[in-house]
């Protein structure tokens, strides 16, 4: 596994990150007030956090259920080979599948773990038949449907 060295964060940086994770649209003036900095100092820190990659990007969190994708499906995929060419081909193809929300290269029994969102069982069948089993190098696919979400965090414990 690759080791990534963490960026050194002080208490103010951590507070800024917690506040931004709660409300990514907070104004710089409000953020500065909440962390007891001047607006210019707050903006400098914010830009520094963006520059070193601590803040990866900004996004809106969309309700999956509200847009008609209420079902999460966890899929394990075993490939026919673990050669670099097969892994690369699989990863490029899976990245193009819009139903795939997350994809992880795994240790253990399966090569990849995916999280999909689908409308219903018929939609899952379509994705299974038309997408998952047609990805390059796929040997075996196993799916588990989530009955409900117990914990789903978007905010990191910084």
């Amino acid at each position: 596994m690759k080791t990534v060295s963490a960026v050194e964060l002080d208490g103010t940086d951590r507070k800024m990150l917690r506040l931004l994770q709660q409300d990514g649209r907070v104004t710089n003036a409000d953020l500065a007030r909440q962390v007891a900095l001047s607006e210019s100092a707050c903006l400098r820190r914010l830009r520094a956090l963006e520059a070193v990659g601590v803040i990866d990007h900004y996004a809106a969190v969309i309700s999956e259920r509200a847009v008609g994708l209420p079902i999460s499906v966890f899929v394990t995929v075993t490939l026919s080979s673990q050669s670099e060419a097969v892994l690369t081909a699989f990863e490029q193809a899976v990245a193009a599948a819009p139903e795939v929300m997350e994809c992880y290269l795994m240790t253990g029994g399966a090569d990849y773990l995916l999280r999909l969102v689908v409308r219903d069982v018929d939609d899952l069948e379509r994705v299974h038949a038309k997408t998952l089993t047609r990805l390059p190098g796929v040997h075996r696919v196993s799916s588990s449907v989530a009955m409900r979400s117990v914990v789903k965090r978007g905010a990191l414990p910084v």
Side-chain angles (χ1 to χ4, degrees):
M1 285 196 216
K2 295 179 184 176
T3 303
V4 178
S5 62
V7 173
E8 191 68 37
L9 301 173
D10 67 14
T12 301
D13 292 330
R14 291 179 188 285
K15 187 171 184 182
M16 287 175 64
L17 292 171
R18 285 191 300 272
L19 291 166
L20 285 166
Q21 288 183 114
Q22 291 171 7
D23 180 5
R25 294 180 66 177
V26 66
T27 65
N28 183 60
D30 286 341
L31 184 60
R33 181 182 48 73
Q34 292 180 65
V35 297
L37 290 175
S38 69
E39 290 182 31
S40 60
C42 183
L43 188 57
R44 274 193 304 276
R45 280 181 178 252
L46 185 60
R47 296 293 179 245
L49 291 168
E50 292 169 348
V52 297
V54 172
I55 297 175
D56 184 46
H57 67 278
Y58 297 90
V61 179
I62 308 298
S63 166
E64 294 163 359
R65 183 171 297 284
V67 296
L69 297 165
I71 300 173
S72 283
V73 182
F74 293 88
V75 178
T76 57
V77 176
T78 304
L79 300 180
S80 57
S81 163
Q82 284 74 38
S83 74
E84 193 64 34
V86 171
L87 295 174
T88 299
F90 175 84
E91 289 176 9
Q92 289 174 347
V94 80
E99 299 86 1
V100 177
M101 297 289 94
E102 299 172 69
C103 176
Y104 300 94
L105 178 62
M106 303 297 290
T107 63
D111 296 311
Y112 288 91
L113 175 66
L114 286 59
R115 183 178 75 86
L116 316 177
V117 291
V118 294
R119 289 186 303 275
D120 51 32
V121 174
D122 292 335
D123 197 26
L124 174 57
E125 182 179 13
R126 176 194 60 79
V127 173
H128 185 275
K130 304 264 190 234
T131 303
L132 297 177
T133 57
R134 294 183 183 182
L135 292 168
V138 169
H139 174 69
R140 184 174 40 250
V141 174
S142 177
S143 302
S144 297
V145 175
M147 293 179 8
R148 67 181 163 98
S149 176
V150 176
V151 175
K152 186 175 181 183
R153 294 185 178 97
L156 293 173
V158 294

